[in-house]
Amino acid sequence: MNKLATLLLCVLIAGCIPTAAPKPPLEGARIGGPFVLTDQNGRQVSDRDFAGRYRIVYFGYTFCPDVCPTDVANLMHGWQLFGKTNAARADRIRSIFITVDPARDTPETLKAFTANFDPRLVGLTGSPQAIAAVAKAYGVAVQIQKPTSPGVYFVDHTNAAYLMNPDGKPLALLPSDGTPQAIADELGKWVR
């Protein structure tokens, strides 16, 4: 057999061998864990309520003047865009907004906030201790700034949107500060 024929045979055989699926970038990371919080309807919710579903998990606060609402809008638009071409896969996702400001983010406040983005968006709050524990489990740093006037303050926090698998394990970070298309593309890589 000549060299060209051998090369073509190798290319054809290599094309028939399945390639390994790409490894999720956060696979094996210690991010996430059990929690019990209160949703925007005042109901107690635990991580087990989302078992079997992919999860988009974002930490923020409703009084945030710019980054949080922009990120949440991008995430919801990306999820909705993904759903236009992948409806069944998009239905396997639950989007969760966890407050880092439980003093001001009551269930009622969260209900008004989440309603602005998508009726399926779940808003969660809890005691300061419960929020601190879940933030720590997700590697989210939180620093409440000194009030500028009574009840008016900012909260510095890690800006990350996690995509978790149906078992609650981390898969990837979503580009919440990117375009909805970039978010939809990232969902398309990992949601099956």
Side-chain angles (χ1 to χ4, degrees):
M1 200 182 306
N2 68 28
K3 290 182 181 182
L4 181 59
T6 303
L7 179 63
L8 286 173
L9 182 60
C10 288
V11 169
L12 288 172
I13 291 171
C16 294
I17 299 172
T19 57
K23 182 180 173 184
L26 295 181
E27 186 176 284
R30 286 196 255 170
I31 298 171
F35 61 80
V36 177
L37 298 170
T38 302
D39 74 7
Q40 72 270 23
N41 297 309
R43 292 186 295 232
Q44 194 174 62
V45 174
S46 82
D47 57 294
R48 293 180 306 281
D49 291 314
F50 303 101
R53 303 277 186 179
Y54 289 88
R55 298 151 225 189
I56 297 170
V57 180
Y58 182 84
F59 288 79
Y61 66 111
T62 66
F63 288 84
C64 178
D66 47 22
V67 175
C68 300
T70 301
D71 284 356
V72 173
N74 286 339
L75 290 165
M76 295 305 93
H77 289 146
W79 181 27
Q80 293 159 0
L81 186 60
F82 178 65
K84 287 182 181 180
T85 56
N86 301 283
R89 288 165 57 198
D91 284 345
R92 296 196 64 210
I93 302 170
R94 290 298 167 257
S95 290
I96 305 166
F97 175 89
I98 301 176
T99 185
V100 294
D101 185 14
R104 292 184 294 184
D105 285 343
T106 63
E108 297 78 21
T109 304
L110 284 172
K111 189 169 193 158
F113 181 81
T114 58
N116 288 318
F117 300 102
D118 190 292
R120 301 168 294 173
L121 176 60
V122 176
L124 296 177
T125 190
S127 69
Q129 297 81 9
I131 293 299
V134 75
K136 181 178 180 182
Y138 278 82
V140 174
V142 179
Q143 179 65 47
I144 297 175
Q145 297 300 310
K146 184 178 176 181
T148 56
S149 59
V152 179
Y153 55 88
F154 296 103
V155 181
D156 295 333
H157 60 90
T158 304
N159 180 20
Y162 298 105
L163 177 63
M164 310 297 281
N165 74 14
D167 296 324
K169 305 293 183 199
L171 290 171
L173 288 172
L174 296 175
S176 58
D177 59 349
T179 65
Q181 185 62 58
I183 294 163
D185 292 345
E186 195 67 20
L187 291 172
K189 288 181 191 176
W190 311 115
V191 177
R192 300 286 161 235

